[in-house]
Every structure is written in C-alpha cells, then in structure tokens.
Amino acid sequence: MLEIKNLHASIGDKEILRGVNLTVKPGEVHAIMGPNGSGKSTLSSVIAGREDYEVTSGDILWDGQSILELAPEDRAHLGLFLSFQYPVEIPGVSVSNFVKTALNAVRTARGEEALDASAMLKKMREALQLLEMDKGFLSRSLNEGFSGGEKKRNEIFQMAMLEPRLAILDETDSGLDIDALRIVAQGVNALRSPKASFVVITHYQRLLDYIVPDVVHVLYKGRIVKTGDKSLALDLEERGYDWIKKEAE
Amino acid sequence: MNDRLSAQYWLHEQELTAYSSEAVRDRRRRAMERFEAVGFPSVRDEDWKYSSLKPVLAPHYGLRPPCAPLEDEHLEFKDIKRFMVNELDSYRVVFLNGRYSSWLSDTTHRGFDVCTLSAAWKKYPETMDRYFAHLTHELGPLAQLNTALSWDGLYVVVPDHVVVDRPIQVLSFTTGSEPRATQMRSLVVLGVNAQAEIIERHQSLTEHPTWTNSVDEAYLAAGAQLRWVKLQHDGPEAALTQHTRIQQARDSRAQVHTVSTSGRFIRNNLDFLLNEPGADARMLGLTLAKGKQLVDHHTLVDHRAAHCTSHENYKGIYDDGAKGVFNGRIYVHEDAQKTDAYQQNANLVLHERAEVNTKPQLEIFADDVKCSHGCTVGQLDEDALFYLRARGIKEPEARALLMLAFAEDAIAGIDHPSLNAKLHKLIAGKLGVDLTLDV
Ligand SMILES: Nc1ncnc2c1ncn2[C@@H]1O[C@H](COP(=O)(O)OP(=O)(O)OP(=O)(O)O)[C@@H](O)[C@H]1O
Ligand SMILES: [Mg+2]
C-alpha cells in the first residue's frame, strides 16, 4: 500500500534523505530504528506532506498512485496518520473539538456522513477506554501543559478515533512509563488488522516486545542501510550502531 | 471642516444649551474654544502618529443642525433586525443619523432611567449639570468637538442598589445620500452597588462615507458594576472615533469588551480612572482587520488609589494591508500602593503588507505594585498548522481554527449565549469560513 522509491529530500541545500526505499504491505508492521539525526522524523514528515522539505527525486506511492503532489490533509483523507515525535501544543483548541473536527473532515472527504453528536461521543468514550484515559482530557486544550507521556497517549487516542490505514508512530514510546507503554501498545494492537499497516519508529527494542514487527529497518544518514526481522532489533540493543555504521561506510 | 463645525456651534449654541445650566453652557463653550484653538489632531501628535485622520476628514460631510429632529428618514424594524442581538431580551435605544428613534426603541423610567440625552437635557438638567463633560475637559480635540456639539445619545442612570434587569442595546444607524458626520454621546451613572450592561453598535446603512465621533462618560459609585460590549462591525466606508472614559469609586467593577471586525477607520480611546481602593477594571479587545482597515486602540488605566486592579488583554489579527495600533498606558500614582495591573497585547500579522505598532506605556510612581505586561507580534504557527492538516483538517479551516483559538480568550466572559453566537458568527464570517467548528 505504501511504496517509497529512491526518495531524496532536502531542506535548503542540506540533503537529509538520500535514497530511501521502503515498501509496506497491508497488515504489515515495520520498525525503523537508527541513530539520532539519521532522518527518521524527516522521512515521516515527508510522507505526511510537510512542505518545508523539498523532494528532489524519487516518489511516494499510495496504492500505486503518487501522493507527492497531495496536501497533508488529502493524505490524511487517504488514511495516513502520523503520530508526532513532538506533538504541538495548541492553546484554545480543545481535544474533543479538534478530534471531532478532524474525524468529520476525514469522513466527509471520503464521502461518508459526518458523525452526529451522540455517535461521536460513543466513539470517543470507546477510544478513551481503550487507552485508559480520563474523560477530563477531552476538555483540555490540545497538548497544552500535557506531560510527555500524556501527549503521546493523546496521539494514539486520535489514531484510535481516525482509524487510519497506515499509521507512522514516531517515537511514540519515548517518555512513556512502563504501564503507559503497555497501554499504548494495546491501543495499537487493537487497530491491527489485515488492512491496517504500521511504521513504528523507535530507539528501544522494548516497544517491539509489545508491537511485534514483521520487518526491522535501520536508517542511517538518510538511507536504509539494513533490513532484517525482529531479531535485528535485539542485535542493535546489544551491540549498538557502530557495526552498522562500519558496514554502511 | 473646522470652520464649518465651529460655525455650527456658534449658530446653534442657543438651542444646544436651551435647557442647560450656565455651567454646562460654559463647558460646551470652552470645549468649542479648545477645539478651535488646536484643530484636528495630526500625525505630528504623538498620540496620532500612526493614524492619520486625513482620509476620515476628506469627504464633504453634510452637517445638519445639531438639535434638529428626525426629518423624513425612516427605518423599519426589519431593516435593523440583523444588526441586533435578537434572541436577547433587552432594552433598546436606537438612533438614526444621530437622533433618537422612539419608534424602534424600548426604553424605561421604571426604577431607573434608560433613555436618551436629548430627553435628559429637559427632564434631568441637574443630573446633566452634575455629570456632563466632567470627565472629558482635559481630553483631545475630538472629545472637545463632541462636548460642544453633541446633543443625543444614550442616557442611563441607575439608583443605588438597583440592578438593570436586562442588557441595554444601543444602536446608532446612519443613512442618507451624502457623506454624513455624527456626534454621539452617552452618559452612564451607576449608584452604589448598581449594575448595568450595555451592548453598543454603530452601523452605516449607506455606501457613502460616514464618520461617527462619540464620547462616553460613565460614573460608577462604590460597588457598582458595569459591563460594556462594543461591537465594531461597521460598513467599509464607515469611520469611528470614540473616547470612552469610566470613573470608578471603591470596589466598583467595569469591564469593556471591544470587538473590532470591520469599518474603514476605528480609533478607540478607553480610559479607566480608578479613584478609590478596590476598584477593578477589565478590558478585552479583539481586532480582525484586513483590506485597508485601520484600527487604533489607545487605552489608559489611571491607578489613583491603592489596592486597585486592572486587567487588559487585547488580541489582533491583521491581514492584507491592514494597520493596527495598540498603545496601552498604565499610570500608577504615588499613593496607589498594592496596585495589580496586567496588560497583554498579542498580534498575528498574516501578510507582509500588514503592520501593527504596539506600545506599552507604563508610568509607575508607587513602589509596592505588581505590574506585568507583554506585547507580541507573530505569524501563525506553521508547526501547529501542519499538525492540524496532517489530521485531515483542510488548510483554510486549520488557519481559521488557529486564529479562533488565538482570539478566544479576548472574547471570553461574554455570558449571553446569543451574543456569543453572534460574535462567533461575525468572526467566522470575517475569517472567511463557515464555522461549524466550535472551539
Ligand atoms: N527543518 C530542519 N531544518 C534544518 N535541519 C533539519 C530540519 N529538519 C531536520 N533537520 C536535520 O536533518 C537531520 C535529520 O533529522 P531528523 O529529525 O529526521 O532525525 P531523526 O532520525 O528523527 O533523529 P532523532 O532520533 O533524534 O529523532 C538532522 O541533522 C536534523 O538536524
Ligand atoms: Mg526523530
């Protein structure tokens, strides 16, 4: 469903992605690991349509169609979801109104009917329950004053509401305590299906105990330099990145 | 223009002061003389540096005798309905071309007075003598001009311990087939622990240039509470210059909301004189300007006594070639210990041609005070915009949502759902989105 072909992207004259190739099929879970600054978040942003980055060559296909020309919102309407490494604080916009607005925007863009108030409420309750979140969350300003862990949980809450076909989780596990990690993983796993795919970006193999990946990639200096199965994550945990860097250079 | 205005005064002084005490006549006369001496403010005046009155004064305004009654002008309720907050049970004081329109109004004298100045000159000369132009004699030429020439406007007098049971909507309409300049004046006197709420709107119904010059004087006795909403959503050729001055006694509270969304030229002067301990002044302002609009806010909080509080929060969003001015003066006198003054002015500038000049002006002569202030000028947060869009919200809505969120706390605290809804509708309309989005 997602096919990234020889993707090059830069900001200013700085090339950050230098030929990324990645194919994610329906139902698959891919993990992407890699040292700080290797371009993982940049890759997520480019997939989601952030305009600050210029795609200089290559392509991103969704169901075989290029999405490079699509606005971020259009990509979301296709069923793409990005859980941000650093969710943005937006004072004055409440979680509930934001989620309602987003979900109905996605639904109407797909030609589905907007959910009425009671259906919306029911759906929100279920998602809250799944993520063991208090409903007081809903009336708070989006991410404003949220703890690191609360922000991440809120991202997964939104994912549960939007039910994407492909979710990219950018370090959703950083900043989570052990219980929160389990709960967030639970939220992700609840969404797993033969149709839904995930790209999980993480520094820690621990998350992968809960969300078991089909494939593990290592991104280094803007390229995927190694791909393996979940045992690769264990290797990395044990040996670090030095051997990969050596191999790559 | 200056000569025509002054001729108008001297020609009609008799009528203007026919029912007034000599003291009031003197006040008017001195005001006219002051205006004649200094003329209109120009950009050479520090207070008018960024706001040239030239375009406002350029049209050849038809001037009519200041006390002349309504002639053949006529408005039906259906013509003005859309400018009012209709679902709100309220008193209504409606003016047409500067004259009271009893036909469209709903006033009262039962327990308190909600009526007009034109009536009060005859009916309540002592009250007029006591209050008219007492707060305004030191003000600039526009206020002086108004003191000399104003005849009609809102009159609200509430005895001690009386709460006006409904909000008072004041609407002043301008019509006609030529440019028109109007002087509007209001006087509000609240007794001990009295309360009142005013919703004010000036509206041009003609495509010709209009200019309303208005002055409000409000006197709050101990414990009185005044709430005032100024809805500045006038036509594209309308100019408004306004000076509102509120004097507060012990433990009184005044809150003024100024929402400026359209009109070619808006200049608001808003002054609070905190005369006795415990007085509290709140001012909230929201400005949404685009095209060639100019919106200029000059506020003053004069902390004259100890233990007073003031809270000011103005937000502005400027697009296209719009221009904004915010000048927030806080003056804390030597005796005003334990003053607690807060001032915040935040602005979004959405276009490279738009500009805003913001200046806090704190003059503090007491040592034991808490004063905080902040001014910001910025753009929409691109990270926030991307976040919203990445969740499926289209760009125009995402922008509008961020602007509304930015604006929200500057219109908070309006208790009437219908007024609130009206405001949100005006704002959404201004932002160019059909907002089923509620923030
Ligand atoms: N907007 C930007 N402007 C300038 N440089 C940028 C920008 N975005 C990313 N970079 C640079 O690109 C490189 C890759 O950054 P990116 O955030 O994608 O790394 P990452 O793999 O997600 O790192 P981490 O593990 O620390 O989250 C870094 O050197 C970063 O400084
Ligand atoms: Mg990152």
Side-chain angles (χ1 to χ4, degrees), chain A residues 73 77 82 92 101 155 158, chain B residues 383 387 389 391-392 437 439:
Chain A
E73 53 267 38
H77 299 162
L82 169 61
T101 308
E155 294 289 283
Q158 292 176 41
Chain B
D383 290 333
Y387 186 82
R389 294 177 70 190
R391 295 287 141 90
L437 293 172
V439 182

Side-chain angles (χ1 to χ4, degrees), chain A residues 11 14 16 34-43 52-53 85-86 170-171 201 203 219:
Chain A
I11 191 152
K14 185 172 171 187
I16 302 172
N36 293 131
S38 56
K40 302 180 298 296
S41 294
T42 301
L43 178 63
D52 308 15
Y53 300 98
Q85 181 175 2
Y86 304 108
D170 190 358
E171 294 199 29
I201 297 170
H203 286 296
L219 190 74

Side-chain angles (χ1 to χ4, degrees), chain B residues 76-380:
Chain B
E76 299 279 346
F77 187 70
K78 66 172 172 46
D79 302 325
I80 65 163
K81 193 162 174 270
R82 68 194 171 101
F83 301 109
M84 306 183 15
V85 187
N86 290 302
E87 302 77 10
L88 194 63
D89 190 16
S90 55
Y91 297 104
R92 259 194 337 263
V93 191
V94 180
F95 299 92
L96 176 52
N97 297 329
R99 285 304 155 273
Y100 177 53
S101 165
S102 58
W103 164 253
L104 295 166
S105 299
D106 175 8
T107 58
T108 186
H109 295 288
R110 236 172 289 149
F112 47 87
D113 300 301
V114 175
C115 63
T116 67
L117 284 180
S118 53
W121 292 119
K122 288 171 232 179
K123 224 165 162 174
Y124 310 112
E126 294 86 15
T127 314
M128 294 308 290
D129 178 62
R130 203 158 141 205
Y131 296 106
F132 178 74
H134 260 293
L135 299 181
T136 57
H137 56 91
E138 285 172 0
L139 301 184
L142 290 178
Q144 301 302 340
L145 179 68
N146 184 279
T147 296
L149 281 171
S150 59
W151 176 249
D152 216 343
L154 177 70
Y155 177 90
V156 175
V157 175
V158 186
D160 293 352
H161 307 293
V162 172
V163 174
V164 176
D165 56 335
R166 294 185 253 160
I168 302 160
Q169 290 200 62
V170 194
L171 298 121
S172 83
F173 295 97
T174 311
T175 64
S177 51
E178 58 173 2
R180 206 184 282 273
T182 312
Q183 305 290 335
M184 295 299 300
R185 182 106 181 175
S186 43
L187 175 64
V188 176
V189 182
L190 302 186
V192 173
N193 293 330
Q195 293 183 22
E197 177 168 8
I198 295 166
I199 301 166
E200 171 196 348
R201 184 161 179 176
H202 302 271
Q203 189 67 45
S204 158
L205 301 175
T206 137
E207 72 274 22
H208 296 281
T210 62
W211 170 37
T212 303
N213 181 41
S214 110
V215 171
D216 308 312
E217 284 180 282
Y219 299 83
L220 275 57
Q225 293 190 28
L226 174 66
R227 295 164 70 97
W228 198 317
V229 177
K230 291 169 177 284
L231 259 180
Q232 304 180 334
H233 191 73
D234 209 339
E237 290 302 321
L240 173 68
T241 51
Q242 180 163 66
H243 207 128
T244 299
R245 216 156 140 91
I246 300 173
Q247 176 176 284
Q248 298 185 236
R250 182 178 293 274
D251 298 329
S252 63
R253 292 170 59 181
Q255 171 168 307
V256 178
H257 261 100
T258 307
V259 181
S260 315
T261 45
S262 59
R264 168 172 58 115
F265 182 104
I266 297 174
R267 163 67 178 237
N268 288 306
N269 273 82
L270 177 58
D271 307 340
F272 295 82
L273 314 176
L274 308 182
N275 278 0
E276 291 176 13
D280 174 63
R282 290 190 154 253
M283 65 228 85
L284 294 167
L286 174 61
T287 303
L288 305 179
K290 54 171 149 183
K292 288 185 175 160
Q293 273 182 271
L294 182 143
V295 182
D296 178 340
H297 297 289
H298 270 65
T299 64
L300 163 68
V301 186
D302 199 8
H303 280 271
R304 296 169 166 180
H307 295 283
C308 291
T309 47
S310 63
H311 181 102
E312 175 166 22
N313 182 8
Y314 272 66
K315 297 243 169 129
I317 304 179
Y318 299 87
D319 203 350
D320 306 330
K323 218 170 135 180
V325 180
F326 174 83
N327 188 104
R329 186 163 173 230
I330 296 175
Y331 193 103
V332 182
H333 291 250
E334 207 179 328
D335 306 332
Q337 301 296 356
K338 304 283 179 197
T339 285
D340 186 347
Y342 171 87
Q343 180 188 87
Q344 168 77 26
N345 173 236
N347 300 285
L348 289 180
V349 175
L350 304 181
H351 196 286
E352 57 190 8
R353 277 190 302 121
E355 77 175 62
V356 55
N357 293 287
T358 169
K359 181 174 157 208
Q361 193 181 339
L362 275 61
E363 293 156 82
I364 299 168
F365 298 97
D367 44 32
D368 185 11
V369 300
K370 205 173 117 196
C371 284
S372 58
H373 69 94
C375 293
T376 60
V377 178
Q379 279 101 41
L380 269 192

